[in-house]
Amino acid sequence: MNPLQRYIADEIATDHVDGLLTRREAMRRLSLLGLGTAAAAALLTSCSVARDRSETPKAAPAPETSTGPARPPGTASARPTSPISWAGSVGQLQGAWAQAANSKGAVLVIHENKGLNDWVRSVAGRLAGAGYSALAIDLLSEKGGTAAFRDPAEATAALSTIEPEQFIHDMNSGIAELKLRAPGRKVGVVGFCFGGGLVWQLLSAGALGVSAAVPFYGPLPPNPDFAGCKAAVLAIYGALDSRVTGSQAAAKAALDRFGLVNDLVVEPNADHAFFNDTGPRYNATAAADAWQRLLDWLSRYLSP
């Protein structure tokens, strides 16, 4: 498994340990990734044992969830998205485009491991409402697009078969498309979970033409090399998400080593995927704070 494949498998195991997936469903999803029964069972067991042995803040009060009264940040001014396609390195790429009324910059949005769904489109719409034209790319375009998969688990499995280098090509194509649609504007990239990991991968590949990058709780690649990268990086983590937040120190060291402007934020009492208001780990307080930090970062490094 490459690091992103391993991350997806670990995420499935963690969801099972946290009670979000039954063992049967977790085993099914791991099998879609190509793990045999014995390997999948061993992964679930090791994840459970690791959780039992770790001294993590999981015993803290449960984070706020999507059942809370707060509206997701930015929704009041969100702008509509429209489907678009453009030429990629190996075929047509698909995405959702949201045009800001008076664009202060442009942002590429990288989805979670379920592909381009309505929630990701909503993020692009919210960014456009805040003044940043946004393109949410569908990294399953070469597989027919996310809409070709009725089962989100199959979409996740399909993503795991794509070579990391192809993701880089597709994201760079998305950046080029943004520059065409928002001429003269600086470009930023934001990604969530799996997409946050891809933001780190893009930074390691140089992130040409990117002025600001914001990975939300994304896994850090091994030995990241940010040589040649010019982006200002805001990395956002959840305090309860020990699996990903444990890489914070290594991320900080790498960013500092290569001289990148950076800020690493750990939201208290927030877990993995806390920004996704359609998921069980949504934390309204942390999401509101992270949204404001994101907008402040984009204003500082993208706005004219």
Side-chain angles (χ1 to χ4, degrees):
M1 283 188 173
N2 64 46
L4 284 175
Q5 288 174 321
R6 178 69 191 191
Y7 168 76
I8 292 174
D10 287 345
E11 190 166 64
I12 292 170
T14 300
D15 284 350
H16 167 64
V17 172
D18 287 352
L20 303 181
L21 294 176
T22 64
R23 180 179 179 84
R24 181 176 181 177
E25 178 61 15
M27 292 289 288
R28 184 183 77 87
R29 296 190 183 196
L30 290 171
S31 72
L32 289 173
L33 295 181
L35 272 71
T37 301
L43 176 60
L44 295 182
T45 299
S46 66
C47 186
S48 180
V49 170
R51 173 63 55 80
D52 290 342
R53 290 178 177 175
S54 66
E55 295 182 359
T56 67
K58 289 293 181 182
E64 299 170 49
T65 69
S66 54
T67 60
R71 290 185 66 187
T75 55
S77 58
R79 295 183 63 83
T81 64
S82 57
I84 64 167
S85 62
W86 68 97
S89 62
V90 295
Q92 288 294 108
L93 290 170
Q94 303 172 32
W97 168 250
Q99 175 70 56
N102 185 17
S103 185
K104 298 179 288 186
V107 180
L108 186 70
V109 182
I110 313 299
H111 54 67
E112 300 174 331
N113 67 22
K114 296 179 181 64
L116 178 57
N117 54 23
D118 287 343
W119 178 76
V120 182
R121 294 184 186 91
S122 81
V123 174
R126 285 184 256 172
L127 284 166
Y132 299 93
S133 295
L135 171 57
I137 189 172
D138 189 343
L139 294 173
L140 282 166
S141 295
E142 286 89 350
K143 303 287 186 179
T146 302
F149 299 88
R150 292 186 178 182
D151 182 355
E154 291 182 355
T156 299
L159 278 170
S160 76
T161 68
I162 299 174
E163 292 296 325
E165 292 78 10
Q166 187 59 49
F167 288 135
I168 299 298
H169 290 316
D170 289 350
M171 288 186 289
N172 281 328
S173 292
I175 291 166
E177 183 67 16
L178 272 175
K179 288 181 176 293
L180 290 174
R181 289 177 174 268
R185 299 306 181 195
K186 293 181 179 179
V187 172
V189 179
V190 59
F192 303 88
C193 303
F194 173 82
L198 288 178
V199 172
W200 288 119
Q201 297 272 6
L202 183 65
L203 293 170
S204 294
L208 297 178
V210 175
S211 298
V214 186
F216 274 71
Y217 30 78
L220 188 73
N223 305 311
D225 182 349
F226 300 137
C229 182
K230 305 296 185 183
V233 180
L234 170 65
I236 298 177
Y237 301 89
L240 306 185
D241 184 18
S242 58
R243 182 170 57 95
V244 175
T245 305
S247 64
Q248 176 194 3
K252 175 67 175 174
L255 292 167
D256 288 345
R257 183 164 65 252
F258 291 99
L260 271 64
V261 173
N262 66 85
D263 187 17
L264 279 68
V265 175
V266 180
E267 293 289 352
N269 199 34
D271 209 332
H272 189 68
F274 71 80
F275 193 77
N276 188 335
D277 54 279
T278 68
R281 296 187 178 109
Y282 178 59
N283 183 309
T285 300
D289 182 70
W291 175 251
Q292 189 58 54
R293 290 177 184 271
L294 168 62
L295 295 185
D296 290 346
W297 198 258
L298 296 179
S299 177
R300 188 177 308 169
Y301 296 104
L302 295 190
S303 296

